[in-house]
Amino acid sequence: MHNRPAFELLHDPFLTKGTAFTEAERQEHHLEGLLPPTVETLDEQVERVLNQLDRWDNDLERYMHLRAVQDRNRTLFYRVLTSDPERFLPLVYTPTVGDACEEFGHILTRPHGVYLPVTSQGRVKEILGNWGSRDVRFIVVTDGSRILGLGDLGASGMGIPIGKLALYTTCAGVPPELTLPITLDVGTDNEEFINDPMYAGLRQKRCDDDTYYAFVDEFVQAVQDLFPECCIQFEDFSMNHAAPLLAKYRDQVCCFNDDIQGTAGVALAGIHAACQAKGESISEQRILFLGAGSAGTGIAELIVESICVETGMPREEAMTHVRLFDINGLLVRSRTDLAPFQQPFAAEAEPCDDFVEAIRSFKPTGIIGVSTVHGAFNEQVIRAMGEVNARPLIFPYSNPTSRAECTAQEAYEWTGGRVLFGSGTPMPPVEHKGRTIKPSQGNNVYIFPAMGMAIFATGARHVPQEAFLTAAKSLAEQVPVSYFEDGMLYPSRAEIRAVSLKVAGAVARTLDEMGLNRHKAADWDARIAELAFVPEYR
Ligand code: NAD
């Protein structure tokens, strides 16, 4: 092509400025005539995108529009997102990304990221090497097996790594050119997708476990060979694989699982904030879980570690500060139906299959709902918590909202406004003491982008549990004291970037103190501010 360099400059999403190329740049790079004559500022371009978004009828269309902007011009995309994170995060990630994944085969336009099909076993490194850059520092990878609450979406799960990485950049400034979304296409058991002519993944059943683990192992090794400073974030893997993969790789390579560790971190932050609100120590808390699955046991484990680290309490004693209650009742030693990951949480207590009774006997300071049972925190449960606590912690963490154990309005109403509240999904505003309160949501987005930025800045070799303990503490310290009176436990999402950078700084210091950093800095806050991607044309 005659004018290839100009064409490439205009169409490279990391280099283009579109209509913001100046007259001088247009002359220098032979771009004259390839753009309309008006030279615009970045903010004028943002204005146009905002106007275009207003023309669409629904959020999936707005998602598709934003994805197209992302593919075209990264600076503009991130300028739009950072201009109003509260408005745009739900459009590029949950809840809209769930609809996008379900429709992924139908709305697919430009491919983005890397697809590694299980049929390429033995050639994973070669295929991963097809990615255009040798400097990749952050991968979000899914196998599409448990996409949000939607189940097995196979290769259509790719919307999740793409969306999640956009949050890493928007919230904490992880440079987008160093990130890579990946889907391990190991087949799908979703018959509807296999029979859909528009489905873009492998049309075969999920592979057996031996093939699966060998394939993931080949992938992890290929990442080490090609991108030695890269962190792998496992995302939306079904629990039967997520836990063993994390256990296998967490001490071997730089990786973490946000569903397990990020969730635990954000819940622990809510408990720390509640402790600040009550003027109590974490060692004075007793937490009862409704639900003893991956989320419940993951959060319980981090709470126990936090109590041990903060107060020096022996682990055995710290374990008595958490109790879990599942579909068959309280987890107690005499039960014979507990899975190995639940057994450490079996309490030395009488069997009990009534949650209210469990509250009356354990007298928890907080209850966390991770049961997926809508309405399980009913009036009796919440009033029982109000009877044994001046300020009960009530965290209905199940999502989507249709699964939440209670609404914010109920929690405020049935405790006479004394509740310290955190939900897993956004809840409508609550009328409380003549004011309208936005209930706080314990969203992982307060943790994982900051974790990513800290890992990138330090070049961490591993991601220890201490990093999540620090992130939780730092997040809680940033909740304005004025929020506590209204029962709110998390900072405003409008402040997410400033909050995330502070959390990242704190985590970086922990990684440094533990000697896990490849890079050094005298002042990690300053180093992180320097490294953070700012959406501006250079
Ligand atoms: P899971 O399937 O592993 O566990 C569910 C648990 O609930 C099981 O222990 C089950 O026995 C128990 N349960 C089911 N019905 C019950 C009943 N009637 N009474 C008591 N217990 C009952 O699921 P998970 O991965 O642990 O997730 C649980 C919920 O937490 C989901 O809704 C998920 O979306 C939510 N979650 C939220 C966040 C977040 O807000 N950041 C993160 C992770 C998970």
Side-chain angles (χ1 to χ4, degrees), residues 259 263 290-296 325-327 342 370-373 397-399 424 442 444:
D259 304 311
T263 299
L290 186 75
S294 54
F325 190 106
D326 75 358
I327 194 156
Q342 294 173 314
V370 275
S371 64
T372 71
V373 183
Y397 245 50
S398 287
N399 50 52
N444 301 19

Side-chain angles (χ1 to χ4, degrees), residues 146 148-149 239 258-260 262-264 266-267 289-297 299 325-329 331 335 341-342 355 369-373 376 396-400 403-405 423-425 441-445:
R146 200 234 64 201
L148 309 172
M239 195 55 192
D258 183 56
D259 304 311
I260 299 173
T263 299
V266 82
F289 290 79
L290 186 75
S294 54
T297 52
I299 301 168
F325 190 106
D326 75 358
I327 194 156
N328 296 321
L331 269 60
R335 271 179 62 174
F341 71 93
Q342 294 173 314
F355 194 62
V370 275
S371 64
T372 71
V373 183
Y397 245 50
S398 287
N399 50 52
R403 300 275 175 105
E405 284 80 2
S423 58
T425 55
Q441 185 200 350
N443 191 316
N444 301 19
V445 78

